[in-house]
Amino acid sequence: MMNAGLYIHIPFCLKKCPYCDFYSITDVSLQPVFLNALSSEMRMTGGVELVFDTIYIGGGTPSILDVRTIGQILEIAIQSFEILSGAEITLEINPGTVTLEQLEGYRSTGVSRINIGVQSFDPHNLSFLGRIHSRSDADLAVKWAQKAGFENIGFDLIHGIPGQTKESWLFDLRRAVEYEPEHLSCYMLTFEPGTPLGRDRSMGRFKPLADDLVGEMFKTTLDYLSVHGYDQYEISNFARAYSTQAGNNCSEDNRSRHNMKHWSFAPYIGLGPSAHSFLEPQRYWNCTGVKKYIQELASGRLPLEGNEWLSLEQLMIEAVYLGLRQTRGIMIDAFDKKFGVSFELKFKEVISDLEKKGFIEYSPNRCTLTPKGMLLFDSIAAMFI
Ligand code: SF4
């Protein structure tokens, strides 16, 4: 079996950003009881017959937890689960919530990778996104993470923000690349229903950017990052190439090992409110509310809310969906072998249609999206269903 990933969701933020649909609350007074509940969940779930080579502490804003708390969480995780030495241990941090001393402390607890929610270096964009941090907070968080000695640093950036221009996006990319992070996630802003931004959009309170401009920004991202030594390996994810002794450029080790698990059917266990787990062919998930999560664990029950067993047909659709997200595409031989069907025959008409329109490239071994296709990922993936 493939090595597994452990995800730990810290459901607290200092303020809710209006575009965010991740589960988090701002009532940090629940933190101590939550941490007890999380420890119980780790102890109750531990013993699972999996070997883990990644831990990802995400949220929410995990960096509102102090060094001692992050250290305790990792200690209990290591006691409860079989974690390989050299595991990738990522901590998400947000600018405006960290200090240099804190980052040095996190490193001493065993965190090996830092993912920074920069989002933008432009004050207008940060204000539209309702972020608590300023441009200089973002700069400081990056400088401190480097000074603290982290050798694997990723930034999240957002484009497609109303009011943003191609030039301002290029400014963000340039500034990010100047810091030479190992990893960049460049997400397109989406207006999720149920979020304040989604509601404002449906009420016409702002004008979203034109699709053409968003498309140009995506193209700018691919061109700029490729020229500056970053390999795209998933629609929104780029890893910095490094020179091996043999002199080849290879970005393999700078990819997010943990996130790769989500795209490759590897097992993962999610802990904390709203966290999802996947053990093929089963997916299951925790309840969302922090209070309910705490109550369930206090009563000695795992806080599970639901589960589904994926049929072969559903797994197949998932394989198409996940394969198309990655630049290596759907590996046809592996697909045919796994599902006992011919990918080519099953999706003959869709493939031919998409190929003619220039949305996919098809070779006997792979089916990959072109950059033009990546922009229309959702509608293209839906054509395979
Ligand atoms: S800091 Fe991150 S998790 Fe928290 S509300 Fe903002 S986007 Fe969501």
Side-chain angles (χ1 to χ4, degrees), residues 287-309:
C287 63
T288 299
V290 179
K291 284 189 180 153
K292 174 112 194 285
Y293 172 84
I294 292 168
Q295 274 162 13
E296 289 295 285
L297 283 152
S299 315
R301 289 186 296 271
L302 282 173
L304 296 175
E305 186 177 80
N307 75 325
E308 59 178 343
W309 290 84

Side-chain angles (χ1 to χ4, degrees), residues 143-164:
K143 285 178 188 156
W144 287 338
Q146 289 174 334
K147 194 159 183 214
F150 286 103
E151 290 176 353
N152 196 346
I153 299 176
F155 300 173
D156 288 348
L157 296 174
I158 296 183
H159 58 97
I161 303 166
Q164 191 180 31

Side-chain angles (χ1 to χ4, degrees), residues 9-10 12-13 15-25 59-61 92 94 119 128-131 158 189-199:
H9 189 75
I10 306 299
F12 300 104
C13 288
K15 172 179 172 267
K16 267 316 267 186
C17 306
Y19 62 95
C20 175
D21 71 341
F22 291 116
Y23 176 69
S24 65
I25 58 169
T61 305
E92 279 183 355
N94 279 327
Q119 318 309 351
F128 186 90
L129 295 173
R131 301 292 306 195
I158 296 183
L189 181 64
T190 53
F191 307 100
E192 299 300 329
T195 60
L197 208 61
R199 282 194 291 276

